[in-house]
Amino acid sequence: MADITRRLGWRHLRGVPAAHIRHHRSGTLLHDGPGLSFWFRPLTAALSEVPVDDRELAMTFHARTHDFQDVAVTATVTYRIADPATAAARLDFSVDPDTGVWRGAPLEQLGTLLTETAQQHALDVLARTPLAAALVDGAAAVRERVTAGLGAEPRLPATGIEVVAVRVMALRPEPEVERALRTPAREQIQQEADRATYERRAVAVERERAIAENELASRIELARREERLVEQRGTNARREAEEEAAADAVRAQAEAARSVKLAEAEATRTARLAEAEAERTVRIARAEAEAARETGEARAEERAAWLRVHAEAGVDGAEALRALTAARLAENLPRIDSVTVSPDVLTGLLARLTHATPDGTR
């Protein structure tokens, strides 16, 4: 749509590069070309805007195959207006000088023309093709036939129309027929899926069996290794017991040898102590004997001297013996701390001492 602005009774049109503008005034062509921009007076101007860009026309129609089956055809036709002057002369592309909007519907007319022409050629080719063949390669056949038919259609060049491309997206039968046609393929796919499932299960079972065998072999090997381990432990325990017994024997022998050595040492020490004690006892006995001998000799000499003294003093032998006996008795008497002498005893003692003088005097 052209961009038209108002200025004090004048109008300014600004087109786009994809639109071909034709401006007539009083039957005279003043402006002709794409992307124009100019001022004009609306009361005397006749404007036409023809799009020259590529246009996409989507179409969907129903057709019947050779075996009387309905199919839906979905296609797209790409076209453009190659001769804007011819198209403007054959179709109403005039625009309102105040708003720039088409007064008619030229593109709808072109769409109807192209759709009916393409549908006619598609129906012609599908009417001679069975449904199965149409579903397999009918799209290519329809596309080729529609392209050739539109290229040979005389009304299109006469209107300034050029077909760029034709695309057929789908040929679909009725839903019931489509489900019926899908059933064998679906069954085959299901069979393939079931077979794949069975094969997968078989592979899984085989793998499980292999895993079970591996586990059993592992358990057997583990039991065998445990048996070897038990045997090795027994051998080690036996060797340890033997080594321990040998060590105990060695320790016992060492202990016995040490005990023998200690006993021998103790016996030697005891013998030496006994010898030393015996020697000491002998020395003591000898010393005591020597001392006793010397003491006896001294006492004998003392007694002899005492006797000589008494003999020299005129004391007879009986009195000397009694005196010696009394002295020996006194030596053997217990210790007397105190003696009480009565007058009678003292008188008798004095009397005896008086009578005992050697000369017999008082």
Side-chain angles (χ1 to χ4, degrees), residues 192-206:
E192 294 292 335
D194 293 340
R195 183 167 57 255
T197 302
Y198 297 150
E199 292 178 356
R200 184 171 62 253
R201 289 180 180 177
V203 172
V205 170
E206 183 65 23

Side-chain angles (χ1 to χ4, degrees), residues 50-51 81-93 106 110 157-161:
V50 181
I81 299 176
D83 189 354
T86 303
R90 298 293 300 271
L91 299 174
D92 186 9
F93 283 97
L110 285 177
T159 314
I161 305 299

Side-chain angles (χ1 to χ4, degrees), residues 65-291:
T65 62
H66 180 69
D67 47 2
F68 305 101
Q69 298 296 326
D70 291 336
V71 292
V73 182
T74 303
T76 300
V77 176
T78 303
Y79 70 97
R80 64 170 173 263
I81 299 176
D83 189 354
T86 303
R90 298 293 300 271
L91 299 174
D92 186 9
F93 283 97
S94 62
V95 297
D96 190 336
D98 291 330
T99 61
V101 178
W102 279 320
R103 289 195 174 102
L107 296 182
E108 293 181 3
Q109 296 177 4
L110 285 177
T112 301
L113 174 62
L114 291 173
T115 300
E116 290 179 353
T117 304
Q119 184 175 0
Q120 177 182 358
H121 295 288
L123 293 176
D124 187 23
V125 69
L126 289 175
R128 295 191 298 271
T129 305
L131 177 62
L135 295 178
V136 173
D137 56 358
V142 170
R143 181 178 62 253
E144 293 175 358
R145 182 60 180 273
V146 169
T147 302
L150 292 177
E153 180 64 32
R155 290 186 57 190
L156 298 181
T159 314
I161 305 299
E162 180 182 355
V163 176
V164 178
V166 176
R167 299 188 302 277
V168 178
M169 277 73 72
L171 274 79
R172 301 191 62 178
E174 294 181 350
E176 294 81 1
V177 177
E178 186 174 6
R179 283 194 296 270
L181 293 175
R182 287 179 179 178
T183 299
R186 187 173 298 175
E187 290 294 334
Q188 184 177 1
I189 294 172
Q190 186 65 36
Q191 291 177 2
E192 294 292 335
D194 293 340
R195 183 167 57 255
T197 302
Y198 297 150
E199 292 178 356
R200 184 171 62 253
R201 289 180 180 177
V203 172
V205 170
E206 183 65 23
R207 289 181 179 176
E208 290 179 357
R209 185 185 62 79
I211 292 172
E213 290 181 355
N214 291 334
E215 291 180 352
L216 181 59
S218 300
R219 292 179 181 178
I220 294 173
E221 183 64 23
L222 181 61
R224 186 180 297 110
R225 292 184 180 181
E226 289 180 353
E227 183 180 359
R228 293 179 181 176
L229 179 60
V230 170
E231 292 178 357
Q232 187 63 36
R233 287 179 177 175
T235 303
N236 295 338
R238 186 170 58 256
R239 289 180 180 175
E240 291 179 358
E242 293 176 355
E243 292 178 358
E244 186 69 21
D248 291 340
V250 172
R251 285 195 296 269
Q253 292 177 0
E255 187 67 22
R258 188 173 65 85
S259 299
V260 170
K261 290 181 180 180
L262 291 176
E264 293 177 354
E266 185 67 20
T268 303
R269 187 177 64 84
T270 304
R272 290 178 180 178
L273 290 176
E275 291 178 357
E277 184 67 21
E279 291 178 358
R280 187 176 67 83
T281 304
V282 170
R283 286 195 299 269
I284 292 173
R286 289 178 180 176
E288 288 180 352
E290 186 66 24

Side-chain angles (χ1 to χ4, degrees), residues 305-333:
W306 187 79
L307 290 176
R308 284 194 303 269
V309 171
H310 281 76
E312 291 176 358
V315 180
D316 56 0
E319 291 292 334
L321 290 174
R322 284 194 295 269
L324 181 59
T325 302
R328 294 295 299 274
L329 181 61
E331 290 177 358
N332 294 325
L333 288 176

